[in-house]
């Protein structure tokens, strides 16, 4: 038996129904640790920002329910992961970066080297000139060309 049910209503809002029949509309799904543990610690919150239900790990949910929760998370989050650096316009900032992300190819403007933050030994967070954040989840796993370009800025 699922610990809860998560569905959309006629207005496209997420509805959380608990086993006792209690319904909460609308709800928002939030990751506690979006970078370091994206599949662990997910809170389902009400419209006032109060936690209604805590999910320890997404893999503990049935696949259909897990898909619903992931869809709710993806609608709220936007943190493209850089898979490959294809080109940089200049090794001095500001520079335009051409990258391949998990959401497709794009370009962005890096204003300064301070906009690249190392979260852990291999995880980088990059802010573009428009305030969009990009993540490199594993610097060591990137191809040689990408690492060579990145080394100029780190």
């Amino acid at each position: 038996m699922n610990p809860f049910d998560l569905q959309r209503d006629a207005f496209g809002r997420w509805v959380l129904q608990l086993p006792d029949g209690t319904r909460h509309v609308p709800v928002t799904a939030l990751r506690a640790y979006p970078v370091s543990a994206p599949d662990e610690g997910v809170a389902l919150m009400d419209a006032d920002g109060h936690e209604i239900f805590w999910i320890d790990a997404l893999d503990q949910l049935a696949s259909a329910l897990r898909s619903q929760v992931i869809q709710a998370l993806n609608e709220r989050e936007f943190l493209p992961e850089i898979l490959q650096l294809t080109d940089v316009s200049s090794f001095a900032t500001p520079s335009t970066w051409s990258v391949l992300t998990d959401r497709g190819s794009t370009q962005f403007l890096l204003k300064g080297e301070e906009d690249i933050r190392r979260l852990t030994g291999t995880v980088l967070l990059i802010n573009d000139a428009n305030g969009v954040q990009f993540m490199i989840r594993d610097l060591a796993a990137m191809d040689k060309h990408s690492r060579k370009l990145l080394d100029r800025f780190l």
Side-chain angles (χ1 to χ4, degrees), residues 26-57:
V27 295
T28 304
L30 297 170
R31 294 181 204 268
Y33 309 103
V35 174
S36 61
D39 294 332
E40 298 175 17
V42 175
L44 299 178
M45 313 288 281
D46 68 12
D48 296 322
H50 299 107
E51 181 182 310
I52 303 166
F53 195 87
W54 178 259
I55 303 164
D56 287 324

Side-chain angles (χ1 to χ4, degrees), residues 92-95 97 109-116 126-127 129 153:
T93 55
S95 62
W97 288 29
L109 180 66
L110 181 73
K111 292 188 300 185
E113 293 172 4
E114 66 276 2
D115 291 325
I116 303 173
I126 301 169
N127 293 322
F153 293 92

Side-chain angles (χ1 to χ4, degrees), residues 8-152:
R8 289 193 183 277
D9 67 6
F11 300 104
R13 300 175 300 184
W14 288 106
V15 179
L16 172 67
Q17 184 165 341
L18 299 174
D20 66 2
T22 307
R23 291 171 47 94
H24 298 273
V25 182
V27 295
T28 304
L30 297 170
R31 294 181 204 268
Y33 309 103
V35 174
S36 61
D39 294 332
E40 298 175 17
V42 175
L44 299 178
M45 313 288 281
D46 68 12
D48 296 322
H50 299 107
E51 181 182 310
I52 303 166
F53 195 87
W54 178 259
I55 303 164
D56 287 324
L58 291 176
D59 62 2
Q60 295 174 346
L61 300 176
S63 64
L65 184 56
R66 181 172 51 248
S67 295
Q68 293 289 85
V69 172
I70 289 171
Q71 183 179 357
L73 286 165
N74 289 339
E75 288 174 5
R76 187 175 190 291
E77 299 174 342
F78 185 73
L79 184 63
E81 182 177 343
I82 296 175
L83 304 173
Q84 182 181 30
L85 262 72
T86 54
D87 191 39
V88 293
S89 64
S90 167
F91 292 118
T93 55
S95 62
T96 301
W97 288 29
S98 298
V99 297
L100 175 64
T101 73
D102 60 342
R103 298 173 187 247
S105 297
T106 191
Q107 289 186 334
F108 63 86
L109 180 66
L110 181 73
K111 292 188 300 185
E113 293 172 4
E114 66 276 2
D115 291 325
I116 303 173
R117 291 185 303 165
R118 188 178 296 268
L119 299 181
T120 67
T122 61
V123 178
L124 301 176
L125 200 58
I126 301 169
N127 293 322
D128 79 356
N130 295 318
V132 175
Q133 292 186 331
F134 294 84
M135 180 176 57
I136 295 176
R137 189 169 301 279
D138 188 358
L139 181 61
M142 295 191 80
D143 64 279
K144 185 177 179 180
H145 177 71
S146 297
R147 285 195 317 267
K148 185 176 178 181
L149 291 175
L150 273 167
D151 283 344
R152 302 277 189 135

